[in-house]
Amino acid sequence: PGENETKVNLEELKTSVLYSGPVDPAEWVGLRKSNPLLVYLRNNLLMLAILAFEVTIYRHQEYYRCRNNLTAPVTKTIFHDITRAHLDDGLVNCIKYFINYFFYKFGLETCFLLSVNVIGQRMDFYAMIHAFWLIAVLYRRRRKAIAEIWPKYCCFLSCIITFQYFLCIGIPPAPCKDYPWRSGNANFNSNIIKWLYFPDFIVRPNPVFLVYDFMLLLCASLQRQTFEDENKAAVRIMAGDNVEICMNLDAASFSQHNPVPDFIHCR
């Protein structure tokens, strides 16, 4: 570019994909020459093997239940004979219970911690949006109120991760057209572009951030399923309910409102 076409200095232009070397158009769609080919395809083959293994297990379980006239368990747990009543019945049963229902009891708190982790890892414009959503969810306070807004939160996470995925891909570099925020009239520098997570040929968006967003979306989706399970009587019998106890209760009289044994104020 000429002197009036961009404000980028020469050292930064040397790191740009457009000017650092020849551009292969096939790489933009995920194709590149590799030798040997098996090394290039090993991750795809590994994913197919894992999916085939998962389908085999589910088909085998379904066939086994049909052959022995068994019904599928109400909850997808490891220890089917462990319920809420076994939580205070020894350390082993306590560990089994939390292996089964840890996310059922503490999934919401896990999602909040992952949201804080996304904010701390990113520290950019989208981290600020995540912070606003976290404040909006915490402002609801009551669990039932959070459950009402949670589907919208999951929709936001799925939309924003898809949008950021397209930002990471960007436009094809083959036409040799730079982005408008790199023009001479734009008052953008590399730090602002990085903070806004804009696609760029010099400061490319960090795709690792999508991993943090995906983990948050995964746990938020599981928590949405948990909110639905809380309304099922069969699940509440097995795992216990998540009904909130009033915060204004006196600690000394707490045991009469607590449905499980209280080992602190039992005297």
Side-chain angles (χ1 to χ4, degrees):
E3 296 181 357
N4 297 328
E5 295 179 5
T6 181
K7 291 184 179 180
V8 183
N9 57 46
L10 185 60
E11 294 298 326
E12 284 186 311
L13 282 179
K14 290 180 180 179
T15 62
S16 176
V17 178
L18 296 180
Y19 311 111
S20 60
V23 177
D24 186 3
E27 291 190 0
W28 187 76
V29 294
L31 300 176
R32 73 172 181 269
K33 295 181 179 180
S34 179
N35 188 23
L37 184 62
L38 184 61
V39 177
Y40 181 72
L41 297 177
R42 61 182 179 182
N43 292 332
N44 302 77
L45 296 175
L46 180 61
M47 292 174 61
L48 289 176
I50 293 175
L51 291 175
F53 182 68
E54 180 187 13
V55 172
T56 302
I57 292 176
Y58 279 114
R59 290 296 182 184
H60 181 269
Q61 289 178 342
E62 184 179 356
Y63 173 73
Y64 180 81
R65 294 190 183 107
C66 291
R67 187 179 61 181
N68 296 277
N69 294 324
L70 300 175
T71 58
V74 178
T75 58
K76 297 179 180 180
T77 55
I78 298 177
F79 306 103
H80 302 306
D81 56 339
I82 298 296
T83 63
R84 179 64 179 82
H86 298 89
L87 178 58
D88 301 304
D89 188 17
L91 183 61
V92 176
N93 287 337
C94 178
I95 295 175
K96 290 181 178 180
Y97 175 83
F98 279 113
I99 291 176
N100 286 345
Y101 303 109
F102 175 83
F103 202 87
Y104 179 83
K105 286 294 183 183
F106 300 105
L108 188 60
E109 291 77 7
T110 303
C111 292
F112 291 155
L113 290 176
L114 286 176
S115 180
V116 173
N117 177 66
V118 170
I119 297 170
Q121 294 291 341
R122 299 192 58 126
M123 298 296 289
D124 59 0
F125 175 73
Y126 293 94
M128 184 175 62
I129 298 178
H130 280 287
F132 287 149
W133 261 103
L134 181 61
I135 293 172
V137 172
L138 290 174
Y139 183 76
R140 311 280 290 189
R141 300 185 62 181
R142 293 177 58 251
R143 190 178 183 88
K144 286 294 182 183
I146 294 177
E148 294 175 357
I149 199 178
W150 201 257
K152 299 178 181 178
Y153 182 56
C154 293
C155 181
F156 155 74
L157 292 176
S158 60
C159 292
I160 198 171
I161 194 174
T162 305
F163 179 69
Q164 291 177 93
Y165 176 77
F166 286 111
L167 289 181
C168 289
I169 295 177
I171 61 176
C176 294
K177 296 292 184 180
D178 213 338
Y179 291 98
W181 39 87
R182 285 298 185 183
S183 63
N185 298 326
N187 294 322
F188 287 88
N189 56 35
S190 297
N191 291 330
I192 296 178
I193 293 174
K194 182 180 179 180
W195 186 80
L196 292 174
Y197 205 70
F198 278 175
D200 190 67
F201 293 119
I202 299 177
V203 185
R204 285 170 287 185
N206 189 359
V208 179
F209 290 163
L210 299 184
V211 178
Y212 304 123
D213 287 6
F214 171 76
M215 295 303 299
L216 177 58
L217 175 61
L218 176 63
C219 290
S221 302
L222 293 174
Q223 183 58 38
R224 181 179 180 179
Q225 182 64 43
T226 299
F227 282 137
E228 295 177 358
D229 292 340
E230 289 177 358
N231 298 324
K232 300 178 181 178
V235 177
R236 291 200 300 268
I237 293 174
M238 295 290 295
D241 57 53
N242 287 332
V243 179
E244 298 167 331
I245 299 178
C246 182
M247 295 185 299
N248 297 325
L249 290 177
D250 181 56
S253 62
F254 183 75
S255 58
Q256 62 181 346
H257 302 279
N258 195 355
V260 297
D262 186 359
F263 302 103
I264 299 177
H265 301 97
C266 57
R267 297 181 180 178

